[in-house]
Amino acid sequence: MNKVILYCRPGFEKECAAEITDKAAQYEVYGFVRVKDHSGYVIFECYQHEDADRLMKELPFHSLIFARQMFVCGELLRDLPPEDRITPIVGMLTGVIDRAGELRAEVPDTNESKELMRFCRKFTVPLRAALREQNILLAQENPGRPVVHVLFIAPGCCYVGYSYSNNNSRFYMGIPRLKFPADAPSRSTLKLEEAFHVFIPADEWDERLASGMYAVDLGACPGGWTWQLVQRSMMVYAVDNGPMAPSLMDTGQVMHHKADGFRFEPPRNNVYWLVCDMVEKPAKVASRMADWLVNGWCREAIFNLKLPMKKRYEEVMQNLALLRDRLEEQGINAEYHAKHLYHDREEVTVHVRRMWSSVPGRRDER
Ligand SMILES: C[S@@+](CC[C@H](N)C(=O)[O-])C[C@H]1O[C@@H](n2cnc3c(N)ncnc32)[C@H](O)[C@@H]1O
């Protein structure tokens, strides 16, 4: 199998393609990409056969911004006979992978794929049984073993392959299924919730999203992001000239500041979280986030970079570089993540966690 398939939001195939080409080259893996606009996936075909598996092991999935999932696959299986679609799929996996821990029969995230999704749900049952019979799949699901992926792109037409469970998205189709909370003031609440799921390991939530922490929300109205912080029992400074949802103000956990988010400074010195959803030029937002992190005004930040229509990959990379340079100049070590989340549209979400500063006298969170 010499291909890596990556899922993305339809319309972002070019960004996903530019990114995999760029990042694979950093591992000295070279190949070419096949892109079909609005298909919801991209195929990177490696020149060297064994490179696809190497990329799957070495290129950290969490470092990819525009990919929702990645797996190694072989040639497209076409015209699967309706009376036996299973045999060619089992044949493709035989000798390639054994004792996998899970099967995911998936489709690209497009409107046209909705019908196929229904087919996949039904097809999973007999396919799973056949894979188990051949020992390609373990009898019991095992989250520590590789995942078998079958991606149907049209009826009777699929890519078949595998991903490693320590270097993939743990979500079916790479999409966390989140339910909109009925009492949240805006749908964008799901962006911040998804960011927590993607950026913060579940076993660290109690420590890093802890009750009683102080948070600042820049561009907070009507309060979808603030709602998430309030749910975690935090105290929130919500900064925006617009109105906050009265139900949030009634909690007693929100202080509303009608102020410019680019000038607002922390009212106390133990703010842990900074979140920011202001609609502004990405460079301006990244620069303000750098101010907060350099000054030690917060420990962790989650913010959106709204993207222009052209050169979106380059724009994100430039702004991340700007941020990293500002922090490194000041001797500040940090973890960085950026992801085009399922709930993001023309934007990406960035997470930065300040680790420690080597500059004497600067607030040090070692
Ligand atoms: C996309 S909305 C935020 C939605 C919010 N995160 C939620 O979940 O409900 C962007 C907000 O940023 C605010 N905004 C834009 N520029 C701002 C600035 N310079 N200072 C403060 N707020 C600003 C707007 O008033 C608007 O309410």
Side-chain angles (χ1 to χ4, degrees), residues 185-191 217-226 239-242 257 259-263 276-280 284 304 306 347:
S186 70
R187 282 204 72 77
S188 39
T189 195
L190 293 176
K191 279 193 278 184
D217 182 357
L218 301 178
C221 292
W225 287 28
T226 292
V239 184
D240 200 308
N241 277 315
H257 291 258
D260 179 355
F262 289 98
R263 289 167 183 264
C276 170
D277 191 20
M278 291 190 288
V279 183
E280 249 301 347
K284 186 169 175 187
N304 273 341
K306 313 285 174 187
E347 62 204 335

PDB file of all heavy atoms in Angstrom, residues 185-191 217-226 239-242 257 259-263 276-280 284 304 306 347, ligand 1:
ATOM      1  N   PRO A 185     -26.042  29.753  24.565  1.00  0.00           N
ATOM      2  CA  PRO A 185     -26.566  30.894  23.815  1.00  0.00           C
ATOM      3  C   PRO A 185     -26.219  30.912  22.323  1.00  0.00           C
ATOM      4  O   PRO A 185     -26.796  31.687  21.593  1.00  0.00           O
ATOM      5  CB  PRO A 185     -25.930  32.105  24.498  1.00  0.00           C
ATOM      6  CG  PRO A 185     -25.072  31.599  25.581  1.00  0.00           C
ATOM      7  CD  PRO A 185     -24.977  30.121  25.507  1.00  0.00           C
ATOM      8  N   SER A 186     -25.269  30.114  21.861  1.00  0.00           N
ATOM      9  CA  SER A 186     -24.987  30.126  20.415  1.00  0.00           C
ATOM     10  C   SER A 186     -24.382  28.791  20.005  1.00  0.00           C
ATOM     11  O   SER A 186     -23.767  28.094  20.821  1.00  0.00           O
ATOM     12  CB  SER A 186     -24.006  31.256  20.066  1.00  0.00           C
ATOM     13  OG  SER A 186     -22.732  30.961  20.579  1.00  0.00           O
ATOM     14  N   ARG A 187     -24.529  28.483  18.728  1.00  0.00           N
ATOM     15  CA  ARG A 187     -24.007  27.201  18.233  1.00  0.00           C
ATOM     16  C   ARG A 187     -22.484  27.152  18.309  1.00  0.00           C
ATOM     17  O   ARG A 187     -21.890  26.084  18.341  1.00  0.00           O
ATOM     18  CB  ARG A 187     -24.439  26.957  16.785  1.00  0.00           C
ATOM     19  CG  ARG A 187     -25.860  26.495  16.652  1.00  0.00           C
ATOM     20  CD  ARG A 187     -26.111  25.718  15.366  1.00  0.00           C
ATOM     21  NE  ARG A 187     -25.523  24.381  15.357  1.00  0.00           N
ATOM     22  CZ  ARG A 187     -26.026  23.325  15.984  1.00  0.00           C
ATOM     23  NH1 ARG A 187     -27.139  23.432  16.675  1.00  0.00           N
ATOM     24  NH2 ARG A 187     -25.427  22.151  15.920  1.00  0.00           N
ATOM     25  N   SER A 188     -21.837  28.338  18.326  1.00  0.00           N
ATOM     26  CA  SER A 188     -20.363  28.286  18.345  1.00  0.00           C
ATOM     27  C   SER A 188     -19.827  27.701  19.648  1.00  0.00           C
ATOM     28  O   SER A 188     -18.637  27.421  19.744  1.00  0.00           O
ATOM     29  CB  SER A 188     -19.713  29.630  18.023  1.00  0.00           C
ATOM     30  OG  SER A 188     -20.398  30.654  18.599  1.00  0.00           O
ATOM     31  N   THR A 189     -20.702  27.475  20.605  1.00  0.00           N
ATOM     32  CA  THR A 189     -20.279  26.779  21.830  1.00  0.00           C
ATOM     33  C   THR A 189     -19.609  25.442  21.477  1.00  0.00           C
ATOM     34  O   THR A 189     -18.676  25.006  22.143  1.00  0.00           O
ATOM     35  CB  THR A 189     -21.501  26.549  22.761  1.00  0.00           C
ATOM     36  OG1 THR A 189     -21.029  26.215  24.051  1.00  0.00           O
ATOM     37  CG2 THR A 189     -22.451  25.455  22.267  1.00  0.00           C
ATOM     38  N   LEU A 190     -20.092  24.815  20.380  1.00  0.00           N
ATOM     39  CA  LEU A 190     -19.555  23.496  20.009  1.00  0.00           C
ATOM     40  C   LEU A 190     -18.106  23.581  19.535  1.00  0.00           C
ATOM     41  O   LEU A 190     -17.354  22.615  19.648  1.00  0.00           O
ATOM     42  CB  LEU A 190     -20.432  22.858  18.917  1.00  0.00           C
ATOM     43  CG  LEU A 190     -21.841  22.476  19.379  1.00  0.00           C
ATOM     44  CD1 LEU A 190     -22.674  21.947  18.207  1.00  0.00           C
ATOM     45  CD2 LEU A 190     -21.788  21.424  20.487  1.00  0.00           C
ATOM     46  N   LYS A 191     -17.698  24.771  19.041  1.00  0.00           N
ATOM     47  CA  LYS A 191     -16.303  24.923  18.602  1.00  0.00           C
ATOM     48  C   LYS A 191     -15.369  24.778  19.797  1.00  0.00           C
ATOM     49  O   LYS A 191     -14.358  24.096  19.733  1.00  0.00           O
ATOM     50  CB  LYS A 191     -16.084  26.313  17.976  1.00  0.00           C
ATOM     51  CG  LYS A 191     -16.528  26.395  16.543  1.00  0.00           C
ATOM     52  CD  LYS A 191     -16.004  27.660  15.885  1.00  0.00           C
ATOM     53  CE  LYS A 191     -16.857  28.855  16.206  1.00  0.00           C
ATOM     54  NZ  LYS A 191     -16.453  30.090  15.535  1.00  0.00           N
ATOM     55  N   ASP A 217     -12.598  35.706  28.045  1.00  0.00           N
ATOM     56  CA  ASP A 217     -13.165  35.372  26.728  1.00  0.00           C
ATOM     57  C   ASP A 217     -13.241  36.666  25.922  1.00  0.00           C
ATOM     58  O   ASP A 217     -14.057  37.550  26.213  1.00  0.00           O
ATOM     59  CB  ASP A 217     -14.563  34.741  26.942  1.00  0.00           C
ATOM     60  CG  ASP A 217     -15.225  34.316  25.621  1.00  0.00           C
ATOM     61  OD1 ASP A 217     -14.641  34.556  24.552  1.00  0.00           O
ATOM     62  OD2 ASP A 217     -16.323  33.739  25.688  1.00  0.00           O
ATOM     63  N   LEU A 218     -12.379  36.797  24.912  1.00  0.00           N
ATOM     64  CA  LEU A 218     -12.355  38.026  24.089  1.00  0.00           C
ATOM     65  C   LEU A 218     -13.287  37.836  22.882  1.00  0.00           C
ATOM     66  O   LEU A 218     -13.132  36.855  22.137  1.00  0.00           O
ATOM     67  CB  LEU A 218     -10.938  38.316  23.603  1.00  0.00           C
ATOM     68  CG  LEU A 218      -9.863  38.509  24.679  1.00  0.00           C
ATOM     69  CD1 LEU A 218      -8.488  38.745  24.046  1.00  0.00           C
ATOM     70  CD2 LEU A 218     -10.217  39.673  25.603  1.00  0.00           C
ATOM     71  N   GLY A 219     -14.209  38.763  22.686  1.00  0.00           N
ATOM     72  CA  GLY A 219     -15.216  38.601  21.621  1.00  0.00           C
ATOM     73  C   GLY A 219     -16.225  37.561  22.065  1.00  0.00           C
ATOM     74  O   GLY A 219     -16.465  36.583  21.374  1.00  0.00           O
ATOM     75  N   ALA A 220     -16.807  37.776  23.239  1.00  0.00           N
ATOM     76  CA  ALA A 220     -17.557  36.715  23.929  1.00  0.00           C
ATOM     77  C   ALA A 220     -19.020  36.582  23.534  1.00  0.00           C
ATOM     78  O   ALA A 220     -19.617  35.528  23.743  1.00  0.00           O
ATOM     79  CB  ALA A 220     -17.471  36.959  25.440  1.00  0.00           C
ATOM     80  N   CYS A 221     -19.621  37.671  22.998  1.00  0.00           N
ATOM     81  CA  CYS A 221     -21.084  37.688  22.830  1.00  0.00           C
ATOM     82  C   CYS A 221     -21.560  36.794  21.699  1.00  0.00           C
ATOM     83  O   CYS A 221     -20.865  36.681  20.700  1.00  0.00           O
ATOM     84  CB  CYS A 221     -21.546  39.115  22.570  1.00  0.00           C
ATOM     85  SG  CYS A 221     -21.322  40.129  24.016  1.00  0.00           S
ATOM     86  N   PRO A 222     -22.714  36.148  21.856  1.00  0.00           N
ATOM     87  CA  PRO A 222     -23.619  36.199  23.016  1.00  0.00           C
ATOM     88  C   PRO A 222     -23.209  35.293  24.181  1.00  0.00           C
ATOM     89  O   PRO A 222     -23.815  35.329  25.231  1.00  0.00           O
ATOM     90  CB  PRO A 222     -24.948  35.723  22.411  1.00  0.00           C
ATOM     91  CG  PRO A 222     -24.543  34.808  21.310  1.00  0.00           C
ATOM     92  CD  PRO A 222     -23.271  35.368  20.745  1.00  0.00           C
ATOM     93  N   GLY A 223     -22.166  34.445  23.985  1.00  0.00           N
ATOM     94  CA  GLY A 223     -21.672  33.725  25.163  1.00  0.00           C
ATOM     95  C   GLY A 223     -21.519  32.215  25.009  1.00  0.00           C
ATOM     96  O   GLY A 223     -21.399  31.511  26.002  1.00  0.00           O
ATOM     97  N   GLY A 224     -21.494  31.734  23.774  1.00  0.00           N
ATOM     98  CA  GLY A 224     -21.360  30.280  23.576  1.00  0.00           C
ATOM     99  C   GLY A 224     -20.079  29.713  24.177  1.00  0.00           C
ATOM    100  O   GLY A 224     -20.084  28.643  24.786  1.00  0.00           O
ATOM    101  N   TRP A 225     -18.980  30.440  24.018  1.00  0.00           N
ATOM    102  CA  TRP A 225     -17.703  29.951  24.572  1.00  0.00           C
ATOM    103  C   TRP A 225     -17.697  30.141  26.094  1.00  0.00           C
ATOM    104  O   TRP A 225     -17.267  29.265  26.836  1.00  0.00           O
ATOM    105  CB  TRP A 225     -16.510  30.681  23.930  1.00  0.00           C
ATOM    106  CG  TRP A 225     -16.238  30.269  22.519  1.00  0.00           C
ATOM    107  CD1 TRP A 225     -17.155  29.795  21.615  1.00  0.00           C
ATOM    108  CD2 TRP A 225     -14.971  30.260  21.843  1.00  0.00           C
ATOM    109  NE1 TRP A 225     -16.527  29.510  20.426  1.00  0.00           N
ATOM    110  CE2 TRP A 225     -15.194  29.783  20.524  1.00  0.00           C
ATOM    111  CE3 TRP A 225     -13.674  30.624  22.209  1.00  0.00           C
ATOM    112  CZ2 TRP A 225     -14.168  29.650  19.588  1.00  0.00           C
ATOM    113  CZ3 TRP A 225     -12.647  30.497  21.271  1.00  0.00           C
ATOM    114  CH2 TRP A 225     -12.892  30.007  19.980  1.00  0.00           C
ATOM    115  N   THR A 226     -18.192  31.303  26.526  1.00  0.00           N
ATOM    116  CA  THR A 226     -18.268  31.551  27.973  1.00  0.00           C
ATOM    117  C   THR A 226     -19.091  30.450  28.646  1.00  0.00           C
ATOM    118  O   THR A 226     -18.747  29.970  29.730  1.00  0.00           O
ATOM    119  CB  THR A 226     -18.903  32.940  28.225  1.00  0.00           C
ATOM    120  OG1 THR A 226     -17.982  33.939  27.770  1.00  0.00           O
ATOM    121  CG2 THR A 226     -19.193  33.188  29.694  1.00  0.00           C
ATOM    122  N   VAL A 239     -15.427  39.737  27.370  1.00  0.00           N
ATOM    123  CA  VAL A 239     -15.108  41.051  26.820  1.00  0.00           C
ATOM    124  C   VAL A 239     -15.750  41.202  25.438  1.00  0.00           C
ATOM    125  O   VAL A 239     -15.434  40.430  24.515  1.00  0.00           O
ATOM    126  CB  VAL A 239     -13.572  41.217  26.698  1.00  0.00           C
ATOM    127  CG1 VAL A 239     -13.229  42.618  26.212  1.00  0.00           C
ATOM    128  CG2 VAL A 239     -12.896  40.910  28.030  1.00  0.00           C
ATOM    129  N   ASP A 240     -16.658  42.158  25.323  1.00  0.00           N
ATOM    130  CA  ASP A 240     -17.343  42.386  24.041  1.00  0.00           C
ATOM    131  C   ASP A 240     -18.267  43.583  24.231  1.00  0.00           C
ATOM    132  O   ASP A 240     -18.854  43.747  25.303  1.00  0.00           O
ATOM    133  CB  ASP A 240     -18.168  41.136  23.667  1.00  0.00           C
ATOM    134  CG  ASP A 240     -18.507  41.071  22.178  1.00  0.00           C
ATOM    135  OD1 ASP A 240     -19.044  42.063  21.655  1.00  0.00           O
ATOM    136  OD2 ASP A 240     -18.238  40.023  21.565  1.00  0.00           O
ATOM    137  N   ASN A 241     -18.427  44.388  23.176  1.00  0.00           N
ATOM    138  CA  ASN A 241     -19.370  45.505  23.287  1.00  0.00           C
ATOM    139  C   ASN A 241     -20.818  45.062  23.137  1.00  0.00           C
ATOM    140  O   ASN A 241     -21.730  45.800  23.477  1.00  0.00           O
ATOM    141  CB  ASN A 241     -19.040  46.580  22.243  1.00  0.00           C
ATOM    142  CG  ASN A 241     -17.936  47.479  22.768  1.00  0.00           C
ATOM    143  OD1 ASN A 241     -17.971  47.904  23.928  1.00  0.00           O
ATOM    144  ND2 ASN A 241     -16.934  47.723  21.947  1.00  0.00           N
ATOM    145  N   GLY A 242     -21.017  43.864  22.624  1.00  0.00           N
ATOM    146  CA  GLY A 242     -22.377  43.360  22.427  1.00  0.00           C
ATOM    147  C   GLY A 242     -22.974  42.828  23.723  1.00  0.00           C
ATOM    148  O   GLY A 242     -22.308  42.812  24.763  1.00  0.00           O
ATOM    149  N   HIS A 257     -17.300  42.852  30.417  1.00  0.00           N
ATOM    150  CA  HIS A 257     -16.579  44.109  30.182  1.00  0.00           C
ATOM    151  C   HIS A 257     -16.881  44.590  28.777  1.00  0.00           C
ATOM    152  O   HIS A 257     -16.539  43.890  27.807  1.00  0.00           O
ATOM    153  CB  HIS A 257     -15.063  43.903  30.316  1.00  0.00           C
ATOM    154  CG  HIS A 257     -14.632  43.620  31.717  1.00  0.00           C
ATOM    155  ND1 HIS A 257     -14.048  44.575  32.517  1.00  0.00           N
ATOM    156  CD2 HIS A 257     -14.719  42.500  32.458  1.00  0.00           C
ATOM    157  CE1 HIS A 257     -13.781  44.048  33.695  1.00  0.00           C
ATOM    158  NE2 HIS A 257     -14.182  42.786  33.688  1.00  0.00           N
ATOM    159  N   ALA A 259     -15.616  46.369  26.284  1.00  0.00           N
ATOM    160  CA  ALA A 259     -14.296  46.953  25.993  1.00  0.00           C
ATOM    161  C   ALA A 259     -13.754  46.366  24.700  1.00  0.00           C
ATOM    162  O   ALA A 259     -14.281  45.382  24.185  1.00  0.00           O
ATOM    163  CB  ALA A 259     -13.343  46.636  27.147  1.00  0.00           C
ATOM    164  N   ASP A 260     -12.679  46.984  24.211  1.00  0.00           N
ATOM    165  CA  ASP A 260     -12.011  46.479  23.006  1.00  0.00           C
ATOM    166  C   ASP A 260     -11.120  45.296  23.407  1.00  0.00           C
ATOM    167  O   ASP A 260     -10.202  45.449  24.231  1.00  0.00           O
ATOM    168  CB  ASP A 260     -11.169  47.616  22.399  1.00  0.00           C
ATOM    169  CG  ASP A 260     -10.426  47.154  21.149  1.00  0.00           C
ATOM    170  OD1 ASP A 260     -10.480  45.950  20.816  1.00  0.00           O
ATOM    171  OD2 ASP A 260      -9.786  48.008  20.509  1.00  0.00           O
ATOM    172  N   GLY A 261     -11.375  44.149  22.821  1.00  0.00           N
ATOM    173  CA  GLY A 261     -10.627  42.936  23.161  1.00  0.00           C
ATOM    174  C   GLY A 261      -9.139  43.034  22.838  1.00  0.00           C
ATOM    175  O   GLY A 261      -8.339  42.269  23.381  1.00  0.00           O
ATOM    176  N   PHE A 262      -8.771  43.963  21.954  1.00  0.00           N
ATOM    177  CA  PHE A 262      -7.348  44.086  21.618  1.00  0.00           C
ATOM    178  C   PHE A 262      -6.596  44.962  22.621  1.00  0.00           C
ATOM    179  O   PHE A 262      -5.378  45.036  22.587  1.00  0.00           O
ATOM    180  CB  PHE A 262      -7.169  44.616  20.188  1.00  0.00           C
ATOM    181  CG  PHE A 262      -7.555  43.579  19.165  1.00  0.00           C
ATOM    182  CD1 PHE A 262      -8.803  43.600  18.567  1.00  0.00           C
ATOM    183  CD2 PHE A 262      -6.683  42.546  18.838  1.00  0.00           C
ATOM    184  CE1 PHE A 262      -9.171  42.623  17.655  1.00  0.00           C
ATOM    185  CE2 PHE A 262      -7.032  41.565  17.920  1.00  0.00           C
ATOM    186  CZ  PHE A 262      -8.280  41.608  17.333  1.00  0.00           C
ATOM    187  N   ARG A 263      -7.370  45.656  23.478  1.00  0.00           N
ATOM    188  CA  ARG A 263      -6.717  46.505  24.485  1.00  0.00           C
ATOM    189  C   ARG A 263      -6.900  45.958  25.896  1.00  0.00           C
ATOM    190  O   ARG A 263      -6.201  46.366  26.821  1.00  0.00           O
ATOM    191  CB  ARG A 263      -7.325  47.913  24.456  1.00  0.00           C
ATOM    192  CG  ARG A 263      -6.928  48.670  23.218  1.00  0.00           C
ATOM    193  CD  ARG A 263      -7.782  49.908  23.066  1.00  0.00           C
ATOM    194  NE  ARG A 263      -7.428  50.583  21.835  1.00  0.00           N
ATOM    195  CZ  ARG A 263      -6.571  51.588  21.764  1.00  0.00           C
ATOM    196  NH1 ARG A 263      -6.023  52.064  22.848  1.00  0.00           N
ATOM    197  NH2 ARG A 263      -6.280  52.135  20.608  1.00  0.00           N
ATOM    198  N   CYS A 276     -10.503  33.271  22.575  1.00  0.00           N
ATOM    199  CA  CYS A 276     -10.743  34.437  21.719  1.00  0.00           C
ATOM    200  C   CYS A 276     -11.371  34.008  20.398  1.00  0.00           C
ATOM    201  O   CYS A 276     -10.808  33.179  19.685  1.00  0.00           O
ATOM    202  CB  CYS A 276      -9.398  35.142  21.478  1.00  0.00           C
ATOM    203  SG  CYS A 276      -9.493  36.422  20.215  1.00  0.00           S
ATOM    204  N   ASP A 277     -12.514  34.602  20.112  1.00  0.00           N
ATOM    205  CA  ASP A 277     -13.255  34.282  18.877  1.00  0.00           C
ATOM    206  C   ASP A 277     -13.571  35.584  18.135  1.00  0.00           C
ATOM    207  O   ASP A 277     -14.611  35.686  17.488  1.00  0.00           O
ATOM    208  CB  ASP A 277     -14.547  33.523  19.288  1.00  0.00           C
ATOM    209  CG  ASP A 277     -15.273  32.897  18.103  1.00  0.00           C
ATOM    210  OD1 ASP A 277     -14.652  32.710  17.057  1.00  0.00           O
ATOM    211  OD2 ASP A 277     -16.472  32.597  18.253  1.00  0.00           O
ATOM    212  N   MET A 278     -12.703  36.600  18.261  1.00  0.00           N
ATOM    213  CA  MET A 278     -12.966  37.883  17.601  1.00  0.00           C
ATOM    214  C   MET A 278     -12.756  37.731  16.097  1.00  0.00           C
ATOM    215  O   MET A 278     -11.791  37.103  15.666  1.00  0.00           O
ATOM    216  CB  MET A 278     -12.027  38.970  18.141  1.00  0.00           C
ATOM    217  CG  MET A 278     -12.329  39.352  19.576  1.00  0.00           C
ATOM    218  SD  MET A 278     -11.427  40.816  20.115  1.00  0.00           S
ATOM    219  CE  MET A 278      -9.749  40.224  20.269  1.00  0.00           C
ATOM    220  N   VAL A 279     -13.681  38.324  15.332  1.00  0.00           N
ATOM    221  CA  VAL A 279     -13.549  38.259  13.876  1.00  0.00           C
ATOM    222  C   VAL A 279     -12.626  39.400  13.457  1.00  0.00           C
ATOM    223  O   VAL A 279     -13.020  40.565  13.462  1.00  0.00           O
ATOM    224  CB  VAL A 279     -14.931  38.387  13.205  1.00  0.00           C
ATOM    225  CG1 VAL A 279     -14.810  38.257  11.692  1.00  0.00           C
ATOM    226  CG2 VAL A 279     -15.891  37.343  13.764  1.00  0.00           C
ATOM    227  N   GLU A 280     -11.396  39.062  13.163  1.00  0.00           N
ATOM    228  CA  GLU A 280     -10.383  40.075  12.811  1.00  0.00           C
ATOM    229  C   GLU A 280      -9.319  39.434  11.930  1.00  0.00           C
ATOM    230  O   GLU A 280      -9.292  38.214  11.780  1.00  0.00           O
ATOM    231  CB  GLU A 280      -9.701  40.606  14.095  1.00  0.00           C
ATOM    232  CG  GLU A 280     -10.033  42.031  14.432  1.00  0.00           C
ATOM    233  CD  GLU A 280      -9.655  43.052  13.355  1.00  0.00           C
ATOM    234  OE1 GLU A 280      -8.911  42.732  12.415  1.00  0.00           O
ATOM    235  OE2 GLU A 280     -10.114  44.195  13.474  1.00  0.00           O
ATOM    236  N   LYS A 284      -3.488  40.058  13.298  1.00  0.00           N
ATOM    237  CA  LYS A 284      -3.770  40.924  14.447  1.00  0.00           C
ATOM    238  C   LYS A 284      -4.122  40.062  15.676  1.00  0.00           C
ATOM    239  O   LYS A 284      -3.662  40.329  16.796  1.00  0.00           O
ATOM    240  CB  LYS A 284      -4.924  41.873  14.093  1.00  0.00           C
ATOM    241  CG  LYS A 284      -5.201  42.906  15.134  1.00  0.00           C
ATOM    242  CD  LYS A 284      -6.157  43.994  14.644  1.00  0.00           C
ATOM    243  CE  LYS A 284      -6.497  44.935  15.783  1.00  0.00           C
ATOM    244  NZ  LYS A 284      -7.526  45.901  15.461  1.00  0.00           N
ATOM    245  N   ASN A 304      -9.370  31.433  17.563  1.00  0.00           N
ATOM    246  CA  ASN A 304      -9.613  31.169  16.145  1.00  0.00           C
ATOM    247  C   ASN A 304      -8.814  32.127  15.296  1.00  0.00           C
ATOM    248  O   ASN A 304      -8.675  33.303  15.631  1.00  0.00           O
ATOM    249  CB  ASN A 304     -11.091  31.375  15.818  1.00  0.00           C
ATOM    250  CG  ASN A 304     -11.885  30.117  16.060  1.00  0.00           C
ATOM    251  OD1 ASN A 304     -11.331  29.029  16.132  1.00  0.00           O
ATOM    252  ND2 ASN A 304     -13.186  30.269  16.190  1.00  0.00           N
ATOM    253  N   LYS A 306      -9.388  33.483  11.665  1.00  0.00           N
ATOM    254  CA  LYS A 306     -10.341  33.499  10.549  1.00  0.00           C
ATOM    255  C   LYS A 306      -9.522  33.568   9.260  1.00  0.00           C
ATOM    256  O   LYS A 306      -8.583  34.386   9.154  1.00  0.00           O
ATOM    257  CB  LYS A 306     -11.282  34.709  10.643  1.00  0.00           C
ATOM    258  CG  LYS A 306     -11.888  34.931  12.034  1.00  0.00           C
ATOM    259  CD  LYS A 306     -12.982  33.950  12.372  1.00  0.00           C
ATOM    260  CE  LYS A 306     -13.438  34.115  13.818  1.00  0.00           C
ATOM    261  NZ  LYS A 306     -14.378  33.108  14.290  1.00  0.00           N
ATOM    262  N   GLU A 347     -12.056  29.080   9.117  1.00  0.00           N
ATOM    263  CA  GLU A 347     -11.187  29.437  10.240  1.00  0.00           C
ATOM    264  C   GLU A 347     -10.491  28.173  10.732  1.00  0.00           C
ATOM    265  O   GLU A 347     -10.947  27.068  10.416  1.00  0.00           O
ATOM    266  CB  GLU A 347     -12.029  30.031  11.382  1.00  0.00           C
ATOM    267  CG  GLU A 347     -13.031  29.022  11.925  1.00  0.00           C
ATOM    268  CD  GLU A 347     -14.236  29.634  12.607  1.00  0.00           C
ATOM    269  OE1 GLU A 347     -14.133  30.746  13.091  1.00  0.00           O
ATOM    270  OE2 GLU A 347     -15.274  28.964  12.640  1.00  0.00           O
TER     271      GLU A 347
HETATM  272  C1  LIG B   1     -18.081  35.100  16.271  1.00  0.00           C
HETATM  273  S1  LIG B   1     -18.642  36.208  17.483  1.00  0.00           S
HETATM  274  C2  LIG B   1     -18.245  35.378  18.973  1.00  0.00           C
HETATM  275  C3  LIG B   1     -19.198  34.281  19.328  1.00  0.00           C
HETATM  276  C4  LIG B   1     -18.928  33.729  20.701  1.00  0.00           C
HETATM  277  N1  LIG B   1     -17.633  33.046  20.758  1.00  0.00           N
HETATM  278  C5  LIG B   1     -19.994  32.746  21.121  1.00  0.00           C
HETATM  279  O1  LIG B   1     -19.673  31.553  21.270  1.00  0.00           O
HETATM  280  O2  LIG B   1     -21.130  33.140  21.339  1.00  0.00           O
HETATM  281  C6  LIG B   1     -17.449  37.473  17.459  1.00  0.00           C
HETATM  282  C7  LIG B   1     -17.632  38.531  18.512  1.00  0.00           C
HETATM  283  O3  LIG B   1     -16.430  39.286  18.556  1.00  0.00           O
HETATM  284  C8  LIG B   1     -16.773  40.588  18.928  1.00  0.00           C
HETATM  285  N2  LIG B   1     -15.656  41.469  18.580  1.00  0.00           N
HETATM  286  C9  LIG B   1     -15.133  41.751  17.376  1.00  0.00           C
HETATM  287  N3  LIG B   1     -14.116  42.631  17.495  1.00  0.00           N
HETATM  288  C10 LIG B   1     -13.985  42.884  18.819  1.00  0.00           C
HETATM  289  C11 LIG B   1     -13.131  43.701  19.586  1.00  0.00           C
HETATM  290  N4  LIG B   1     -12.165  44.425  19.016  1.00  0.00           N
HETATM  291  N5  LIG B   1     -13.280  43.710  20.918  1.00  0.00           N
HETATM  292  C12 LIG B   1     -14.235  42.975  21.515  1.00  0.00           C
HETATM  293  N6  LIG B   1     -15.080  42.194  20.834  1.00  0.00           N
HETATM  294  C13 LIG B   1     -14.978  42.152  19.508  1.00  0.00           C
HETATM  295  C14 LIG B   1     -18.072  40.878  18.173  1.00  0.00           C
HETATM  296  O4  LIG B   1     -18.802  41.905  18.829  1.00  0.00           O
HETATM  297  C15 LIG B   1     -18.773  39.514  18.245  1.00  0.00           C
HETATM  298  O5  LIG B   1     -19.690  39.472  19.329  1.00  0.00           O
END
